[in-house]
């Protein structure tokens, strides 16, 4: 309805220019630098087809390689390398019959991926990639075999993670908790859980996921014990958005958010924190914790805004819409996963047509 | 003096009340004098400012309707609360008729506090069977109480966010809006195409650059997916009902209804290899040759490139580089695409391609006389048989250069019309073709895209 009270803005007002600049330029990347990297070796190979390149899963190996998986008309597994004389996203291949990648996990000597297709979820695995010789001078790549470890329980896989020792993969389907042992090459159902949202390893070896009601289940990977309704979630809107997590790899501290964008931390010994702050908009999507403890993530549907939670200042800051002016000139609207990189940069997987791997270099805070 | 288009527009917003000058009302014959060496004489031009909509600051759409008459969009995008009005050239009175203010037709008034229904951007598309002219709105005009609007900033702000591109079905037989719908929520429509046989409208959304299909029978839309970050400025249709456009890197992109998939050509469209890579070589304008076999296109980047292609030949079409449309320049300077521009591609009844390309004074590459205009819009005629180009007219605006033309169209009498973007007053140019080059129903076969 028209609001007749509104008066026309005076374009000659002294603040018009500054306000215009704020509206136009204050919208994007207010802090740090983004670089969108295509899913290829620029100049030497072509990207993954646009409608097969929604990046929905990421993980990082001990040697700093970023592994990921895409969704769309088909799934592609890939590895990204950005240190040394590299600079590539290499397409490792396409698991047969899959159109959704729920998780990629670096565990043991394998890269274990959980993919879905018309026949339900399957677990597949490839080996780790070594560093190539020199991607300025000469190179050679071979596409590795993708081993099919088979279905889990016939249902779609929702998510999976490597446990805190990175020896096992723990995942959920829409109805079961399962483990996949890289040494055995198959998945095994542990018990029944309501498979919803993402799961995460805590600071003491437990793995947490959303249980019925406002509860979390906890799985002890070492003891192979599942505890239902192990931990009560803090007061919040926990059923309006799938659970998401970020993990501080130094301390094991977890971060999550309710459907309203209220952030909480979870220490496995001390439990949940009080609300840390609130993102605008909501819900919170993928996020990761860099080495100084700051949490970077995206929030909001369709056109996500980046946020930063700084635990030192206890503030949540809106960093704006992602835009890359390095490597590729591109806006970033939807992101599917995040992982912290070798040097504290954050990798975000773009869950969009022609998805790119986005490298975020946070602002260096003054002393 | 270098002046960006947006600065240009802003400056114009506070300028003198030009519409109070009676001498400019209606057709102001500008008596174009072709430069020496021009081919044919007798290409007279007339100027029709948007006097009936003083806020109008751009004209992004000029198209021929299914009735053979010329329709244009009097857009108001730099004015807080500005709205677009649809106009039509009236050949009896040799002036413009103001058909309606679009915000009133779609119940989204300019003082809503949201971004406004401020313009129609390459988004007129005819329907020959029923005499309907489809049109879809674009965004950029600020809310009435803001100086600017960012769709990225306000995406999640229910009070500020653009409601969405409004799609209207305007009956040119009765001059009534038959119905309207929201073509794409929150986003603007950059360009529109009608596949009349399949009852489908195709569109590109802004800012997310999604490819949208709208079924005119069921009035439902479908989002096929994202193309990139830079909208192409046009879509075109081939005989196999495939819809073509471009991506950020100058690759052809086509939607094939058979596969229901967007496909990308591995090849890069022609560009200047000295200072371009193909990035931003998106289509600005495309005109189909009258035989329907090939199309002529120009890109939206400084030193726009002309090309023609045969979409039905080969897996990916043969693309013939016809060279730059504008002059040479200092390659160390990223030239302003408002000044360095080509648009208004249209085939006239004489079977020749006409378009308007800018020309500007440059001390090294184009030392135009100091007492002449700093910039000008040159009407070119290209002969498809031998690709020879001839300058036939210069568009004369009463007060300013008119180097930027958005679209061109030919009416049922065989005359050409071009939309002007610049400083107010903006409006429409008419180029009267010599009688020997005019043909009745020259607008047929009609262009199905904006």
């Amino acid at each position: 309805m028209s609001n007749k009270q509104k008066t026309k803005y005076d374009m000659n007002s002294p603040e018009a220019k500054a306000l215009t600049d704020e509206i136009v330029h204050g919208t994007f990347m207010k802090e740090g630098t983004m670089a969108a990297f295509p899913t290829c070796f620029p100049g030497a190979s072509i990207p993954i087809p646009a409608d097969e390149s929604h990046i929905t899963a990421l993980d990082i190996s001990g040697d700093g390689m970023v592994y990921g998986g895409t969704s769309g008309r088909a799934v592609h597994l890939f590895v990204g390398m950005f240190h040394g004389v590299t600079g590539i996203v290499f397409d490792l291949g396409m698991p047969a019959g899959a159109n959704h990648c729920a998780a990629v996990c670096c565990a043991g000597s394998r890269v274990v991926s959980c993919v879905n297709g018309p026949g339900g979820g399957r677990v597949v695995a490839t080996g780790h990639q070594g560093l190539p010789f020199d991607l300025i001078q000469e190179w050679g790549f071979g596409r590795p075999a993708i081993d099919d470890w088979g279905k889990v329980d016939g249902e779609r896989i929702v998510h999976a993670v490597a446990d805190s020792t990175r020896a096992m993969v723990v995942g959920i389907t829409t109805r079961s908790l399962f483990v996949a042992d890289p040494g055995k090459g198959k998945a095994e159902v542990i018990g029944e859980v309501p498979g919803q949202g993402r799961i995460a390893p805590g600071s003491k070896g437990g793995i947490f996921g959303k249980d019925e009601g406002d509860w979390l289940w906890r799985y002890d990977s070492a003891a192979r014990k599942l505890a239902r309704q192990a931990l009560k979630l803090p007061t919040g809107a926990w059923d309006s958005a799938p659970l998401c997590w970020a993990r501080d790899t130094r301390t094991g501290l977890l971060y999550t958010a309710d459907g309203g964008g209220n952030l909480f931390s979870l220490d496995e010994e001390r439990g949940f924190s009080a609300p840390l702050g609130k993102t605008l908009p909501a819900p919170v999507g993928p996020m990761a914790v860099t080495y100084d403890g700051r949490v970077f993530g995206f929030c909001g549907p369709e056109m996500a805004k980046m946020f930063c939670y700084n635990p030192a200042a206890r503030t949540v800051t809106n960093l704006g819409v992602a835009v890359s002016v390095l490597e590729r000139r591109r806006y970033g609207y939807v992101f599917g996963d995040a992982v912290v990189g070798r040097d504290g940069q954050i990798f975000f997987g773009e869950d969009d047509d022609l998805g790119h791997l986005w490298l975020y270099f946070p602002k260096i805070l003054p002393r | 003096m270098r002046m960006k288009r947006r600065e240009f527009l802003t400056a114009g917003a506070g300028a003198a009340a030009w519409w109070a000058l009676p001498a400019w009302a209606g057709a102001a014959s500008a008596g174009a004098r072709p430069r020496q060496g021009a081919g044919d004489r007798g290409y007279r031009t007339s100027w029709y400012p948007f006097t009936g909509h003083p806020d109008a600051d751009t004209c992004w759409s000029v198209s021929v309707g299914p009735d053979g008459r010329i329709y244009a969009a009097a857009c108001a995008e730099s004015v807080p609360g500005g709205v677009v009005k649809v106009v039509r050239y009236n050949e009896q009175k040799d002036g413009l008729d103001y058909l309606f203010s679009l915000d009133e037709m779609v119940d989204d008034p300019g003082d809503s506090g949201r971004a406004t229904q401020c313009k129609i951007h390459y988004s007129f598309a005819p329907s020959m069977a029923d005499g309907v002219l489809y049109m879809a709105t674009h965004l950029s005009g600020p809310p009435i109480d803001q100086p600017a609007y960012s769709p990225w900033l306000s995406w999640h702000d229910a009070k500020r966010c653009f409601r969405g591109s409004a799609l209207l079905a305007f009956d040119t037989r009765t001059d009534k809006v038959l119905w309207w719908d929201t073509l794409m929520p929150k986003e603007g429509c950059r360009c529109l195409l009608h596949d009349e046989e399949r009852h489908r409208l195709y569109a590109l959304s802004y800012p997310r650059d999604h490819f949208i299909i709208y079924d005119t029978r069921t009035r439902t839309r479908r989002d096929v997916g994202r193309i990139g970050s830079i909208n192409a400025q046009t879509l075109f249709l081939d005989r196999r009902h495939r819809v073509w456009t471009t991506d950020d890197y100058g690759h052809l992109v086509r939607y094939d209804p058979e596969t229901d998939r967007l496909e990308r050509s591995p090849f890069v469209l022609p560009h200047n290899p000295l200072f371009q890579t193909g990035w931003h070589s998106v289509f600005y304008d495309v005109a189909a040759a009258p035989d329907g076999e090939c199309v002529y296109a120009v890109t939206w980047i400084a030193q726009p490139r002309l090309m023609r292609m045969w979409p039905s030949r080969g897996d990916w079409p043969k693309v013939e580089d016809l060279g730059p449309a504008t002059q040479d320049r200092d390659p160390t300077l990223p030239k302003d695409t408002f000044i360095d521009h080509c648009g208004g591609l249209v085939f006239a009844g004489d079977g020749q391609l006409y378009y308007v390309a800018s020309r500007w004074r440059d001390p090294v590459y184009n030392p135009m006389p100091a007492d002449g205009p700093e910039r000008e819009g040159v009407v070119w005629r290209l002969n498809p048989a031998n690709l020879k180009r001839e300058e036939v007219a210069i568009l004369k605006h009463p007060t300013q250069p008119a180097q930027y033309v958005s679209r061109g169209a030919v009416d049922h009498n065989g005359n050409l019309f071009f939309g002007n973007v610049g400083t107010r007053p903006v409006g429409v140019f008419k180029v009267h073709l010599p009688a020997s080059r005019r043909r009745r129903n020259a607008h047929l076969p009609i262009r199905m895209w904006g």
Side-chain angles (χ1 to χ4, degrees), chain A residues 148-170:
Chain A
D148 187 346
W149 293 359
K151 294 184 177 181
V152 177
D153 61 357
E155 301 295 316
R156 287 178 69 81
I157 299 173
V158 178
H159 193 229
V161 292
D163 70 6
S164 55
T165 65
R166 289 212 168 257
M168 295 285 283
V169 170
V170 179

Side-chain angles (χ1 to χ4, degrees), chain A residues 7 9 35 41-42 79 98 119-120 125 142 155 190 231 233 266 300 357 365:
Chain A
T7 56
Y9 191 86
F41 179 175
V79 58
E155 301 295 316
I190 297 293
L231 186 63
L233 286 158
L266 170 59
L357 192 57
L365 298 177

Side-chain angles (χ1 to χ4, degrees), chain A residues 1-4 6-12 15-16 19-20 22-24 26-28 30 49-52 73 281-282 299-305 321 327-334 350 352-354 356, chain B residues 10 13-14 55 78-82 109 111-114 142-156 160 186 206-210 224-230 247-249 261-262 264 279:
Chain A
M1 179 172 289
S2 176
N3 181 352
K4 299 296 183 189
K6 287 189 168 61
T7 56
K8 194 168 186 172
Y9 191 86
D10 177 6
M11 295 296 284
N12 295 316
E15 72 276 11
L19 183 52
T20 299
E22 175 58 25
I23 289 170
V24 175
T27 300
F28 299 99
K30 299 179 199 179
D51 51 4
E52 300 173 358
R73 287 182 77 256
C299 55
E302 300 167 339
M303 187 171 289
K305 303 278 172 74
V321 174
E327 175 57 38
R328 289 290 190 266
R329 294 180 177 274
R330 182 173 174 85
Y331 305 111
Y333 298 137
V334 191
E350 188 184 7
D352 206 344
D353 292 317
L354 201 66
H356 286 56
Chain B
T10 305
D55 279 348
S78 66
V79 184
D111 61 357
S112 66
R114 294 188 295 270
I144 192 164
D145 52 349
Q146 276 190 189
Y149 177 68
S150 165
W152 294 275
L153 179 70
S154 300
W155 187 268
H156 300 286
R160 294 297 191 190
K186 297 189 174 186
Y206 174 87
R208 293 190 306 158
D209 201 21
H210 280 223
V224 179
R226 179 180 176 186
I227 293 176
S229 293
I230 310 159
D247 73 4
D248 293 0
Y249 300 100
R261 192 178 185 194
L262 289 166
R264 284 163 208 258
W279 175 77

Side-chain angles (χ1 to χ4, degrees), chain A residues 13-255:
Chain A
S13 68
E15 72 276 11
K17 172 93 172 56
L19 183 52
T20 299
D21 285 346
E22 175 58 25
I23 289 170
V24 175
H25 297 290
T27 300
F28 299 99
M29 297 314 313
K30 299 179 199 179
E31 230 184 68
T33 304
M34 274 287 196
F37 200 92
T39 55
C40 66
F41 179 175
S45 69
I46 61 169
I48 294 169
D51 51 4
E52 300 173 358
S53 65
H54 289 234
I55 299 174
T56 47
L58 291 176
D59 199 7
I60 188 162
S61 63
D63 56 358
M65 305 285 202
V66 180
Y67 290 87
T70 70
S71 301
R73 287 182 77 256
V75 167
H76 294 251
L77 304 176
F78 65 81
V79 58
M81 309 173 190
F82 301 97
H83 58 272
V85 195
T86 61
I88 184 175
V89 172
F90 175 54
D91 184 349
L92 296 168
M94 303 162 65
N99 56 23
H100 174 251
C101 185
V104 171
C105 311
C106 296
S109 62
R110 309 291 281 167
V111 179
V112 180
S113 301
C114 298
V115 299
N116 293 302
R122 307 182 75 85
V123 180
V124 300
T126 59
H128 286 265
Q129 284 284 314
L131 277 171
F133 167 60
D134 180 327
L135 296 195
I136 293 177
Q137 299 292 340
E138 300 177 63
W139 52 85
F141 286 90
R143 196 149 276 144
I146 298 175
D147 301 330
D148 187 346
W149 293 359
K151 294 184 177 181
V152 177
D153 61 357
E155 301 295 316
R156 287 178 69 81
I157 299 173
V158 178
H159 193 229
V161 292
D163 70 6
S164 55
T165 65
R166 289 212 168 257
M168 295 285 283
V169 170
V170 179
I172 53 172
T173 69
T174 52
R175 70 176 181 202
S176 304
L177 175 77
F178 68 90
V179 297
D181 183 345
K184 294 179 181 171
K186 67 172 190 176
E188 176 189 356
V189 172
I190 297 293
E192 209 169 276
V193 294
Q196 47 187 274
R198 296 200 166 188
I199 63 176
S203 54
K204 294 294 172 188
I207 291 170
F208 294 92
K210 177 78 167 52
D211 209 331
E212 286 157 356
D214 289 349
W215 290 88
L216 296 176
W217 51 256
R218 180 180 185 276
Y219 175 67
D220 184 329
S221 186
R224 292 173 64 90
K225 283 195 175 167
L226 169 65
R228 298 289 303 270
Q229 301 202 326
L231 186 63
K232 187 103 166 89
L233 286 158
T235 302
W238 296 103
D239 288 322
S240 58
L243 207 55
C244 58
W245 299 96
R247 185 173 192 267
D248 186 329
T249 54
R250 295 170 311 125
T251 63
L253 187 69
L254 291 175
Y255 289 90

Side-chain angles (χ1 to χ4, degrees), chain B residues 7 26 59 69 84 88 167 190 227 231 256 259 273 310 411 422:
Chain B
E7 292 169 6
C59 175
R69 294 184 285 181
V84 59
R88 181 170 60 208
L167 171 68
R190 181 71 90 162
I227 293 176
N231 277 150
D256 188 340
T259 61
W310 290 260
D411 76 352

Side-chain angles (χ1 to χ4, degrees), chain A residues 68 113 167 187 201 269 282 306 310-311 349:
Chain A
S113 301
E269 284 188 313
M306 195 175 186
N310 183 342

Side-chain angles (χ1 to χ4, degrees), chain B residues 205-220:
Chain B
S205 77
Y206 174 87
R208 293 190 306 158
D209 201 21
H210 280 223
F211 186 86
I212 306 293
I213 301 174
Y214 186 90
D215 188 313
T216 56
R217 288 174 302 185
T218 60
R219 297 190 197 170
T220 54

